Amino acid sequence: MTHTAPKPRSFQAIILALQNYWAGQGCAVLQPYDMEVGAGTFHPATTLRALGGQPWAAAYVQPSRRPTDGRYGENPNRLQHYYQYQVLIKPSPPNLQELYLGSLAAIGIDMEMHDIRFVEDDWESPTLGAWGLGWEVWCDGMEVSQFTYFQQVGGHDCHPVSGELTYGLERLAMYVLGVDHVMDMPFNDPDAPIALTYGDVFKQTEEEYARWNFDVADTEVLLRQFEEAEAHCREILDHPATDPKTGKRIVMAHPAYDQCIKASHMFNLLDARGVISVTERQAYIGRVRALAKRCADAFVETRAGGWSEEAA
Amino acid sequence: MPDLLIELFSEEIPARMQRRAAEDLQNLVTNGLVEAGLTYVSAAAFSTPRRLSLALEGMLAESPRQVEERKGPRADAPEKAIEGFLRGAGLTRDQLEERETPKGKVLFARIEKPGRPAAEIVAEVLEETVRNFPWPKSMRWGSGSLRWVRPLQSIIALISTEEGASVVPLEIDGIKAGDSTRGHRFMTPEEITVTGFDDYETKLKRAHVMLRAEEREETIWHDATNQAFANGLEVVEDRGLLAEVAGLVEWPVVLMGPIAEDFLGLPPEVLQTSMKEHQKFFSVRNPKTGRIERFVTVANRETRDEGATILAGNEKVLSARLADAKFFWENDLRAATSDAGMATWVKALEKVTFHNKLGTQAELIERMAVLSREIAPMVGADPDLAEQAARIAKADLSSEMVYEFPELQGLMGRYYAKAAGLPAEVAAAAEEHYAPLGPSDEVPTAPVSVAVALAEKIDKLTGFWAIDEKPTGSKDPFALRRAALGVIRILVENDIGLPLYRFVDAQLVRNKGQVNTDLQSALIEELIREIARHGVFGAAWRTIKERADHLLHPEAEEKLGKQVPDKSSNLLAFLHDRLKVYLRDQGIRHDIIDACIAMDGNDDLTLLVKRARALSETLSTDDGENLIQGFKRANNILSQAEEADGVEYSYGADVKFAETEEERTLFKALDAAEAVIAPAMERQDFTTAMSAMADLRGPIDAFFEAVKINADNATVRRNRLNLLSRIRAICSSVADLTRIEG
């Protein structure tokens, strides 16, 4: 069994341990995507790279936003802005479960003392037109990760299949560090000259965003931006593959996908403002899914998505 | 004879699929083997979270040789035809046999198929099984194309005899069958090599894997109840949870922990549901107080601190969960006991869709309230209370607790209604109006609950009938069969005589009004008033036609006048069908029920069931059974004579034309029976009526024995036919006996 690392003492030590571990397993350690997303899966390094036949191995932290989960920083574990750690390996290696357990050992979870379980949990993202089978991973009854074998993304069958791991970093860290309220969690080394807690970093922003998300965000502006992003996404993809300036074949899958991400986030904000009814909800989700699907269609027409001159 | 061991070792299989998968593995493999001629003595299948296993004992070492005889063309057929036949049979001309047949000389081929070794057959069958396994959901992984429930990692396929064991040569998508597996993922992950099933099970046990799901279940239940008992407590039984938990572990270790004092004030059902749904914990109850005081969790391993760390972690997670539940409970109580009370929740249901054609939850509540009030006097409930109960019965759908735990609907309504100071009957109806939820669920007995429960179900049925969303085949998305069974059980088991047509008609009209907004509300109201007065739609409709013709537009004529009676009788037929299923389970034959459904008043299900039970009992006696024969004989003779003569023999049998003693006795017996049956039927005493009817058996039998109906004398013959018609009339007053089979 894998050697258990000494217990980390801060939030960032856990993140660093995961980065080192997955770097050691040969993953490209990427940086967060520079847009507002609801989950690490939205990063194009997952959504788009899960498509096509090219091998891929990436790990990264992704700041994620779920406006409806804001609690003004008062709830012990609900936040409108939080971090996910995301690993995507394609094709999924046969020992992915062992690799995953190794990552838990790397952040100080001793397999000899804890009860780790793989409990059925099928993953589906209606907005991305994606689904997969896998588990939620329990450590002593607490969900610490999602483990998914992607079967479809953007309506395309995944072949080969990617294995995706998602860690909810705050919850996992609170567990490892034995902290009851997220705001009390040491962010950096608690013995550092300037020791900071999670609350020192995020309590104020949680309050500010909760107020803005729930009561202040201008719904007319959000709605307009949703529609602009939607139109822009389609417009980008309507361009012919060949760039008239350079004469090169440049399918703009990523810029279009940025607009899809933007539309999705606008929808989340509108939802938090309570202006979307139950029936409208489905329609909005369908609109974002249609964009995601078109972006996926475009991505498989790019080199990274498996397109080649010879095959074409 | 050889034994066979198969293990399909994979990443964790969802608990809910394991049992079925083990059965499927056994069926697919054994069927495949037997089809190929490979029989066996016994088979057993097993499942754990990581493996499906199959053990066969006494399998044939090879399939028996088979000889097939094939008939070919005539010996003088064209060369081409004979060549084709030879190719198909794989033989040469001199190997064929010529035989004389009525059509001349015909060629016959004897094709011998040699036996095949077991390993070859097993390999084929197992590959076929793995590639076509009926998982409810399956997936691909890595770069492969094989589908399994989760990645398949290794296969054991081992045939063992006294001489030793040999691996079946088989490779599926790069996975080569072998003779080794792995033990417990964490406790004993090393590779294990096995020689046969006994060795496999023993070594797995040593490697901390209990192969048998029943053994894991027993261990869990035994240890849990023991630990609880040692503390003067008891585990709340939950078979479904036990099976699920046994499917999550290979090496069950039972740990019991406390529930923090803070949460002990929550309703026990809330504790239980929260613990079960989120954490898969068992609840541990104090039998003296009925309170849930501890939990039992089942870990998948032993640890050097005897589970202390695991238990502490679980306690922490539970506290966070229960803190949520407590937060909901306190918020809900605050809302329910505020000045506005549960009305705020009901108001919120104006925005919640029940069904896009049948309106919002609030509109549903309105319909339910009116119907509850109408039904109330028929079931001994106070109409005001019934209406009040119907109006708050679904209020808890707006509560935070039910939003979080939908399965607590109704129950929370009861707690909140009680907290809001509503009458106890009203609070009880909030919970009980959903009942019965299944064939074994208890039916409500309190009158107010009965009224609302009936109203809820009748409204649901008539609503979906109004929009033509009836169950078809296996599809019943709105659980209408369950609603129908609910109506039946509430009425029959409470012995409530309630003519349904009146309420079904009225509620159909209300639902039609809901669906077709173009129908005038004045017409709907008028119609419902008339239905209440007349008891059925037809008479009510005629009255309106005569008196308030101006209300009737062509649409109303079509959507109400035509459709309501059709839908109403169609719905009653559906209820009768469900009633047949319900009574069949109690041993009453469908033809007996048909014989009773054919009688008047069949919309009173309780009456119908009483009649059917009495008839069933009568028919189970010797007299009853023979009486049916007598009745049928009488009826047949009579029908034939009526057809031949073109008259109906229905009146005027006179004892003075009787020629034999048997005839006279039958006259007397019929007089006596009539004197008993008519008043008995009057007071719905079917048992007495039917036993009087069964008493006719002797006289009828004797009559047929002694008397020739078609006598030469026309008067005597007519008199005898008229006598038969009395038998028919008397018997038919009890049930339509022509529908009895046999």
Side-chain angles (χ1 to χ4, degrees), chain B residues 148-163:
Chain B
W148 199 245
V149 64
R150 293 294 183 275
L152 182 63
Q153 289 181 327
S154 65
I155 299 174
I156 293 180
L158 196 63
I159 295 178
S160 46
T161 61
E162 275 146 32
E163 285 84 55

Side-chain angles (χ1 to χ4, degrees), chain B residues 491-511:
Chain B
L491 292 172
V492 173
E493 291 172 28
N494 283 309
D495 195 20
I496 296 170
L498 186 81
L500 282 174
Y501 265 132
R502 182 188 142 184
F503 300 104
V504 165
D505 287 348
Q507 208 63 6
L508 265 172
V509 170
R510 285 191 189 105
N511 270 297

Side-chain angles (χ1 to χ4, degrees), chain A:
Chain A
M1 188 98 295
T2 329
H3 168 72
T4 308
K7 269 213 184 298
R9 303 181 62 219
S10 66
F11 186 50
Q12 69 190 29
I14 289 172
I15 296 176
L16 292 170
L18 285 174
Q19 298 278 49
N20 281 325
Y21 177 80
W22 286 108
Q25 301 304 329
C27 285
V29 174
L30 303 181
Q31 299 305 319
Y33 203 57
D34 57 345
M35 290 188 70
E36 299 110 320
V37 294
T41 311
F42 276 84
H43 194 309
T46 290
T47 325
L48 296 182
R49 293 289 176 158
L51 292 163
Q54 309 283 359
W56 183 252
Y60 55 89
V61 176
Q62 180 62 50
S64 307
R65 303 193 187 210
R66 288 194 184 157
T68 44
D69 278 355
R71 294 294 182 271
Y72 303 85
E74 282 159 16
N75 187 288
N77 48 25
R78 267 192 207 259
L79 300 160
Q80 58 83 38
H81 172 281
Y82 64 105
Y83 288 120
Q84 281 193 343
Y85 196 85
Q86 176 88 2
V87 179
L88 191 87
I89 306 180
K90 178 176 72 172
S92 64
N95 62 339
L96 189 56
Q97 281 185 309
E98 276 70 38
L99 292 180
Y100 167 74
L101 293 172
S103 76
L104 295 186
I107 56 172
I109 295 179
D110 180 359
M111 300 295 144
E112 295 296 305
M113 299 304 288
H114 293 278
D115 182 32
I116 311 285
R117 238 61 95 61
F118 292 87
V119 180
E120 177 190 14
D121 191 38
D122 301 340
W123 173 82
E124 190 183 8
S125 168
T127 26
L128 290 176
W131 69 277
L133 299 190
W135 311 273
E136 49 183 49
V137 185
W138 287 16
C139 176
D140 301 338
M142 191 177 77
E143 185 196 334
V144 290
S145 306
Q146 283 279 335
F147 192 127
T148 307
Y149 291 101
F150 275 8
Q151 303 295 300
Q152 243 189 22
V153 172
H156 290 256
D157 278 346
C158 297
H159 203 91
V161 167
S162 302
E164 183 213 41
L165 307 171
T166 304
Y167 308 69
L169 280 174
E170 282 82 357
R171 192 159 22 160
L172 178 63
M174 284 168 68
Y175 185 75
V176 171
L177 302 173
V179 176
D180 290 329
H181 199 295
V182 63
M183 293 299 166
D184 298 335
M185 179 161 65
F187 202 104
N188 60 357
D189 188 332
D191 295 331
I194 303 173
L196 296 169
T197 64
Y198 195 92
D200 293 331
V201 182
F202 283 123
K203 171 78 165 109
Q204 181 180 326
T205 53
E206 280 300 305
E207 282 178 353
E208 291 177 9
Y209 276 103
R211 183 176 178 197
W212 182 73
N213 291 338
F214 288 133
D215 303 319
V216 177
D218 186 328
T219 55
E220 273 173 39
V221 172
L222 296 176
L223 193 59
R224 199 168 60 233
Q225 289 180 345
F226 177 92
E227 276 162 4
E228 281 170 2
E230 183 184 39
H232 197 189
C233 178
R234 293 178 189 285
E235 195 262 324
I236 293 170
L237 294 173
D238 284 341
H239 281 271
T242 307
D243 171 26
K245 195 168 81 193
T246 62
K248 286 185 178 176
R249 186 175 187 282
I250 307 178
V251 176
M252 295 171 287
H254 285 80
Y257 182 62
D258 284 351
Q259 299 304 315
C260 168
I261 293 180
K262 193 174 277 177
S264 172
H265 182 59
M266 291 304 138
F267 161 69
N268 288 340
L269 287 169
L270 285 163
D271 197 23
R273 289 288 278 116
V275 295
I276 292 180
S277 74
V278 183
T279 30
E280 284 175 319
R281 245 186 99 76
Q282 288 315 312
Y284 273 99
I285 290 172
R287 284 162 75 177
V288 179
R289 182 169 55 238
L291 297 184
K293 184 161 182 339
R294 282 205 60 187
C295 293
D297 295 346
F299 181 75
V300 297
E301 292 298 319
T302 69
R303 279 210 166 67
W307 181 89
S308 69
E309 206 118 21
E310 305 79 65

Side-chain angles (χ1 to χ4, degrees), chain B residues 102-131:
Chain B
K103 288 182 182 167
K105 276 194 176 143
V106 172
L107 295 170
F108 280 85
R110 252 174 81 85
I111 304 164
E112 290 196 11
K113 281 191 190 159
R116 297 169 62 211
E120 202 178 303
I121 298 174
V122 169
E124 269 175 29
V125 169
L126 186 55
E127 170 154 13
E128 175 80 9
T129 301
V130 169
R131 290 200 183 275

Side-chain angles (χ1 to χ4, degrees), chain B residues 624-635:
Chain B
E625 200 181 324
N626 283 297
L627 174 82
I628 291 294
Q629 300 314 320
F631 164 80
K632 285 197 168 169
R633 194 166 165 190
N635 192 43

